[in-house]
Amino acid sequence: MARRLIAGNWKMNGLRADGTQLAGDLADRIAAEPLTCDLLICPPFTLLADVADAIDGSGIALGGQDCHGAAKGAFTGSVAAAMLVDLGCSHVIVGHSERRHGLGEDDETVLAKAAAAQAVGLTPIVCVGETAGERDAGSALDVVSRQVRHSVPANSGRLVVAYEPVWAIGTGRVPTSDDIAAVHAEIRAVLRADRPDAAAALILYGGSAKPDNAAEILAIDEVGGLLVGGASLTAADFWAIATSCD
Ligand code: 13P
């Protein structure tokens, strides 16, 4: 089995001084105590260059939080996948619910972004997840499988999928272990059936992952790691989550 991945999504947080300090703290910790999982941090675009310097040689991977679906062009304010590679990124988050629901991105847009990432050798972390209303209506599995089918590119050698129930993000609420297991099994089944090149892709869980629930979530079948928001902004918390893989 591939090493598990603990990814930190810093979202729109951090100025250069905080970001380099946080990244440097993680680099110091990993130098002193190697991990059994892989570590990835996804700072805001403005911090990527500084953070790349701070983690240079540490083995910590760097990722962007979004990219455009086009290779380049007249897209004011957007960032191309190749620009992320240029700064040392290996991964990029696409289709985060804060963009799907907050900024109206649909599956087609997310698919284009994931394909643009793969075209330049980045691993897209394609986020999927149901809203509270969809879960209450009993359609969580349908929603997630539809999102995977429509936002993961057809030939996907390089891929991570992240299951992030919208209602669990930043709320302190986490689905039951059975519910996480059911969704992850559904995602694995869709990948096996429809995306055989990516059948073994890591499937992360995200949504209120914290030091005190990480080990329990990581023990669930098919959970290949965590996509951590709030708790990735504190080195001690993120590190405690990362060591939960041991
Ligand atoms: P929280 O860990 O803050 O709930 O955020 C999860 C998330 O959205 C990661 O992408």
Side-chain angles (χ1 to χ4, degrees):
M1 183 176 143
R3 274 161 69 94
R4 288 189 285 189
L5 176 66
I6 303 297
N9 174 8
W10 293 5
K11 308 193 180 184
M12 195 175 72
N13 292 291
L15 300 178
R16 291 171 69 196
D18 327 316
T20 44
Q21 189 174 355
L22 176 54
D25 189 334
L26 294 170
D28 290 345
R29 286 172 192 259
I30 208 167
E33 186 191 339
L35 291 169
T36 59
C37 61
D38 291 327
L39 220 55
L40 164 71
I41 49 180
C42 302
F45 295 133
T46 51
L47 302 186
L48 284 171
D50 288 316
V51 169
D53 284 345
I55 61 174
D56 190 29
S58 68
I60 300 173
L62 185 66
Q65 296 177 14
D66 183 47
C67 67
H68 199 279
K72 62 178 177 177
F75 302 103
T76 301
S78 295
V79 168
M83 297 170 182
L84 298 176
V85 174
D86 200 27
L87 286 173
C89 291
S90 54
H91 292 71
V92 61
I93 297 168
V94 294
H96 193 281
S97 73
E98 286 150 16
R99 301 193 66 92
R100 285 182 185 267
H101 297 284
L103 298 170
E105 291 188 3
D106 59 12
D107 286 333
E108 194 185 345
T109 305
V110 178
L111 176 70
K113 291 178 176 209
Q118 290 176 337
V120 295
L122 284 177
T123 300
I125 301 176
V126 178
C127 300
V128 296
E130 81 285 358
T131 63
E134 289 163 342
R135 173 148 295 270
D136 291 346
S139 54
L141 294 183
D142 286 346
V143 167
V144 167
S145 62
R146 192 201 67 229
Q147 288 175 332
V148 172
R149 281 197 186 89
H150 294 279
S151 39
V152 170
N155 298 311
S156 280
R158 242 178 245 277
L159 177 74
V160 173
V161 176
Y163 168 52
E164 298 207 304
V166 179
W167 53 272
I169 294 175
T171 59
R173 293 173 60 211
V174 175
T176 65
S177 295
D178 284 352
D179 285 341
I180 294 175
V183 175
H184 280 236
E186 176 72 14
I187 294 170
R188 180 68 69 209
V190 172
L191 292 176
R192 283 204 179 109
D194 291 7
R195 301 291 188 277
D197 295 347
L202 286 175
I203 305 171
L204 312 183
Y205 168 80
S208 298
K210 306 282 179 216
D212 62 2
N213 61 19
E216 191 182 338
I217 300 172
L218 285 163
I220 300 169
D221 223 24
E222 294 290 3
V223 172
L226 299 168
L227 182 53
V228 184
S232 71
L233 295 173
T234 310
D237 284 352
F238 193 54
W239 189 256
I241 292 172
T243 55
S244 303
C245 289
D246 296 352

